[in-house]
Amino acid sequence: MMLACQRFVSVVRNSRTLSRHVTTWSPVGAAFNAQQRKVDLLQKNVGLFGVPALSTPAGFEVAQQRALRETEQLVETACNNPPGALTVETFDQLSDSLCKVADLADFVKVGHPDPAFRDAAEKACINIGTVVERLNTNVELCRSLKNLLDNKEVLDSLDPDTRRVAELFMFDFEISGIHLDESKVRKAVSLNVNLLDLNNEFLNGTHLPNRIEKTALPEHIRHCFSIDGNSIQIGGLHADSPDELVREAAYKIFLFPNSSLLLCLDDLLTCRNELAKLVGYESFAHRALNGTMAKTPETVMKFLELLTDKLSDRYGRSQRARHWHEHCTTHQCFVLMPWDHSYFSSAVRAERYKIDPSLYSPYFSLGACMEGLNMLFSQLLGVSFRNEQPMAGEVWSEEVRKLAVVHETEGLLGYIYCDFFRRPDKPHQDCHFTIQGGRLKKDGEYQHPVVVLMLSLPPPTRSTPTLLNPGMMENLFHEMGHAMHSMLGRTRYQHVTGTRCSTDFAEVPSILMEFFATDYRVVNQFARHYQTGQPLPKSMVSRLCESKRICGAADTQLQVFYAALDQVYHGKPQNRSTTDILKQMQEKFYGLPYVPNTAWQLRFSHLIGYGAKYYSYLMSRAIASMVWRQCFQKDPFNRDMGERYRREMLAHGGSKEPMLMVQGKELTLTIFLGHYLPPFL
């Protein structure tokens, strides 16, 4: 209830540009294509994100204790005041107080390079999570909210946003089992606390590399992996390697089953199902989808099956196989295997459309891409970025950049911390973290949202700025869509600010940004060679967009498979192993053969943040397609449409029903699929 934290379920160290031919960069572009000024070591350490207590790991304990003291006071206020708008405001303050610690810790436990900070943050997450679960079953606290919702006169006096937030808080009570008897309530709290530990254990395990004796691999491919003494460490799939043996070895070793993690996943799914059944749901999927656009698991599976049919009609498996077979025959390849998907998708595109990422990258320097985003948001929304020098201790790495987001008339909207480069112990994933949600404070001031964007870009060299391939550029636009959703939300309550909304709606702004990233009219505004300043030729952008049609259906179908697997895992218990389920779903929804002695599900980290909701990416694409066609396809810089998009969608966060924000009426699956625009269409 109280914890509206989300994982999305996310400024950079820059190099000096040495070429004398380079064009002049804007302040934002220069901030990302030039070396960062060193922090003055004589400055006072202001603590992470400017929180003084967090100048050391021990500060997390201080922050927790302060939040818990505030929690006690706010619970007392909520329980003792008469029902009214103040009740909802107090609940939101309570949520905000806890989230300021939990959200920040949620990022630090995975993003900070210092193990001591990570450990302290993880403990804080567990401790605050435990408090939240107890609050979710606090009968007196629930009664104070129920008294409000049962009082028609008071309820009618509330504005729509306040009423919706009150209903959302009550929903959190209900799914936590507040209606159960005392013994069952204790059981629900115990299950939730156990889930916190299982979630952390599984999530950490998904990122751990696997090891194998060096002698187990042919000598000529050992150099492709990390060698540690007599063993080789493999921490990824190496899916883009042109060497088939490297791809196969990485796939089989990285996905080799870990028995303890398999047990952890079994316990996790069992615990989730037991909790859902305890509080009155058929399955965890039914519990998780209550309140989303999809509503039920049946709707999700119907959507996935209809989408599969549409993909087959438009671009069937036989056609996919034919394209890949032609390429395989040329390269004396044979049976197509799962480790071939990414490589051959790229290879077919490269052959047919002459797509060589190395030819595109010089036009997509990080600074140029940030200039492009700045330009786009300025024209569409009147919003611009301002680079700010972090204070001592404010950031966790000298490579991090801090951007202030400023509106031309409203002033400061919030802050984005950009953690863009790979480093040891940093997860290889692109994601958005909420650090502080926006809300209207009692003094009339607005609490500015603060977020972190985490990417896994290659670091710059002494002579060359970070250069992005087209996929990296699209990912940057995607994650910035999440960040701007957080920045542009202007909700009264932080419980529903920005991305704190239905998961299957939260991906809409980010996927919409992918459409902008592949429109030549937009790309032409910023893609220029980092040395010569020459713009990216239109023919190259056209080929890139056209190339997506080739394997786009196969890529989308892979996402359908992941979404269907997620649904079955969180549906009614199957009385069979997660690997057996994986085999069946892969055959039904994907087609490429299962590889014996592999367990891809143990690398499916989205099972934690997106449990039973992985379909959200696909459903959100339907909405994003609709918005693009109706608002921006004709003119991607249309200011009136940009303002409308912010006013009718982004500004509301989760304070309005997503369907009503889309077009004011319920959407059926037929309408969804009618608007669905996969990358290949």
Side-chain angles (χ1 to χ4, degrees), residues 1 7 9 18 50 55 60-61 146 194 285 323 333 390 415 459 526 578 613 621 624-625 633 646:
M1 172 200 64
R7 305 169 179 84
V9 25
L18 299 181
S55 57
F60 273 104
E61 180 65 28
K146 192 172 189 305
N194 189 31
H323 281 303
C333 183
Y415 294 99
F526 70 88
T578 55
K613 297 179 182 178
R621 180 168 289 279
S625 301
Q633 189 172 47
R646 180 190 181 186

Side-chain angles (χ1 to χ4, degrees), residues 127-375:
N127 292 339
I128 294 294
T130 301
V131 171
V132 169
E133 297 308 332
R134 289 173 180 158
L135 289 173
N136 283 344
T137 52
N138 185 311
V139 176
E140 288 188 21
L141 192 59
C142 179
R143 186 180 297 119
S144 70
L145 189 63
K146 192 172 189 305
N147 289 340
L148 180 152
L149 293 170
D150 288 347
N151 189 321
K152 187 176 186 306
E153 183 179 349
V154 172
L155 197 61
D156 289 344
S157 69
L158 302 180
D159 62 85
D161 286 359
T162 301
R163 181 169 180 165
R164 174 167 170 80
V165 170
E167 292 169 346
L168 289 173
F169 277 125
M170 180 55 73
F171 174 68
D172 289 336
F173 276 122
E174 291 170 350
I175 65 172
S176 296
I178 195 69
H179 54 288
L180 303 174
D181 60 43
E182 188 175 345
S183 64
K184 290 183 178 179
V185 166
R186 287 198 300 270
K187 177 66 173 176
V189 172
S190 176
L191 287 169
N192 274 306
V193 171
N194 189 31
L195 277 172
L196 292 174
D197 292 331
L198 290 169
N199 288 344
N200 281 326
E201 181 183 348
F202 184 76
L203 191 60
N204 290 335
T206 62
H207 301 304
L208 290 178
N210 275 341
R211 290 177 176 271
I212 192 171
E213 287 295 318
K214 188 165 61 175
T215 55
L217 290 182
E219 187 174 355
H220 72 280
I221 67 169
R222 294 175 190 169
H223 70 280
C224 298
F225 308 108
S226 176
I227 300 177
D228 183 10
N230 291 323
S231 65
I232 287 179
Q233 180 174 283
I234 298 182
L237 293 174
H238 291 254
D240 296 326
S241 172
D243 190 319
E244 181 189 3
L245 190 56
V246 169
R247 299 195 303 273
E248 179 180 358
Y251 189 94
K252 290 181 176 179
I253 297 169
F254 185 61
L255 300 184
F256 189 81
N258 178 310
S259 57
S260 63
L261 204 56
L262 281 170
L263 289 174
C264 176
L265 179 57
D266 287 340
D267 290 344
L268 174 66
L269 297 177
T270 298
C271 192
R272 283 177 170 177
N273 182 70
E274 189 175 351
L275 176 62
K277 298 281 285 187
L278 182 65
V279 299
Y281 289 89
E282 291 182 47
S283 69
F284 183 81
H286 285 86
R287 179 179 183 265
L289 295 175
N290 195 339
T292 64
M293 289 195 292
K295 308 294 186 186
T296 69
E298 293 77 17
T299 302
V300 173
M301 289 305 295
K302 185 65 174 176
F303 173 70
L304 297 176
E305 289 166 356
L306 289 173
L307 181 52
T308 296
D309 291 342
K310 180 171 183 174
L311 292 171
S312 297
D313 290 343
R314 183 66 66 120
Y315 196 103
R317 289 184 184 180
S318 60
Q319 191 175 359
R320 174 190 68 187
R322 178 171 58 81
H323 281 303
W324 279 347
H325 177 71
E326 289 172 357
H327 183 86
C328 289
T329 302
T330 301
H331 291 75
Q332 297 182 341
C333 183
F334 38 97
V335 179
L336 191 70
M337 297 299 288
W339 54 77
D340 296 321
H341 179 124
S342 179
Y343 172 72
F344 280 118
S345 290
S346 299
V348 170
R349 289 170 179 143
E351 276 199 358
R352 187 155 296 197
Y353 292 98
K354 311 303 179 186
I355 304 297
D356 181 351
S358 66
L359 298 179
Y360 286 82
S361 293
Y363 296 92
F364 293 140
S365 70
L366 184 55
C369 294
M370 293 302 294
E371 279 191 359
L373 286 162
N374 195 37
M375 170 276 303

Side-chain angles (χ1 to χ4, degrees), residues 279-548:
V279 299
Y281 289 89
E282 291 182 47
S283 69
F284 183 81
H286 285 86
R287 179 179 183 265
L289 295 175
N290 195 339
T292 64
M293 289 195 292
K295 308 294 186 186
T296 69
E298 293 77 17
T299 302
V300 173
M301 289 305 295
K302 185 65 174 176
F303 173 70
L304 297 176
E305 289 166 356
L306 289 173
L307 181 52
T308 296
D309 291 342
K310 180 171 183 174
L311 292 171
S312 297
D313 290 343
R314 183 66 66 120
Y315 196 103
R317 289 184 184 180
S318 60
Q319 191 175 359
R320 174 190 68 187
R322 178 171 58 81
H323 281 303
W324 279 347
H325 177 71
E326 289 172 357
H327 183 86
C328 289
T329 302
T330 301
H331 291 75
Q332 297 182 341
C333 183
F334 38 97
V335 179
L336 191 70
M337 297 299 288
W339 54 77
D340 296 321
H341 179 124
S342 179
Y343 172 72
F344 280 118
S345 290
S346 299
V348 170
R349 289 170 179 143
E351 276 199 358
R352 187 155 296 197
Y353 292 98
K354 311 303 179 186
I355 304 297
D356 181 351
S358 66
L359 298 179
Y360 286 82
S361 293
Y363 296 92
F364 293 140
S365 70
L366 184 55
C369 294
M370 293 302 294
E371 279 191 359
L373 286 162
N374 195 37
M375 170 276 303
L376 178 63
F377 293 139
S378 178
Q379 294 190 48
L380 271 184
L381 300 157
V383 171
S384 60
F385 298 145
R386 184 177 67 215
N387 185 59
E388 293 195 357
Q389 179 70 15
M391 303 291 285
E394 185 179 353
V395 296
W396 48 100
S397 169
E398 66 178 13
E399 298 173 343
V400 175
R401 294 294 186 273
K402 179 183 179 183
L403 292 179
V405 181
V406 183
H407 190 272
E408 59 190 21
T409 59
E410 299 171 31
L412 180 67
L413 296 181
Y415 294 99
I416 303 173
Y417 289 84
C418 301
D419 185 359
F420 284 170
F421 294 122
R422 300 169 188 161
R423 61 175 176 269
D425 296 325
K426 178 183 175 182
H428 291 283
Q429 58 188 24
D430 299 339
C431 47
H432 161 274
F433 292 87
T434 297
I435 303 300
Q436 175 175 280
R439 71 183 181 99
L440 186 64
K441 298 188 290 187
K442 282 188 175 181
D443 60 7
E445 293 292 318
Y446 199 79
Q447 177 174 287
H448 294 126
V450 177
V451 305
V452 172
L453 287 190
M454 179 187 285
L455 302 178
S456 300
L457 301 179
T461 66
R462 292 179 61 85
S463 60
T464 308
T466 291
L467 303 178
L468 283 60
N469 62 39
M472 293 174 181
M473 183 269 287
E474 287 184 41
N475 285 345
L476 172 63
F477 272 61
H478 177 101
E479 296 302 332
M480 194 59 74
H482 284 310
M484 294 308 291
H485 195 179
S486 295
M487 294 297 108
L488 294 169
R490 272 302 179 265
T491 53
R492 179 176 175 183
Y493 301 103
Q494 74 85 37
H495 193 68
V496 290
T497 186
T499 56
R500 302 198 205 282
C501 58
S502 169
T503 307
D504 51 10
F505 182 75
E507 293 295 333
V508 171
S510 54
I511 292 175
L512 180 64
M513 287 300 297
E514 296 176 20
F515 288 93
F516 286 99
T518 52
D519 188 293
Y520 178 74
R521 294 166 294 180
V522 176
V523 175
N524 184 54
Q525 295 291 311
F526 70 88
R528 60 188 193 275
H529 200 285
Y530 77 99
Q531 290 177 311
T532 67
Q534 292 298 310
L536 180 67
K538 184 175 182 179
S539 60
M540 290 180 68
V541 179
S542 298
R543 292 202 308 272
L544 184 65
C545 294
E546 187 68 21
S547 71
K548 292 178 180 291

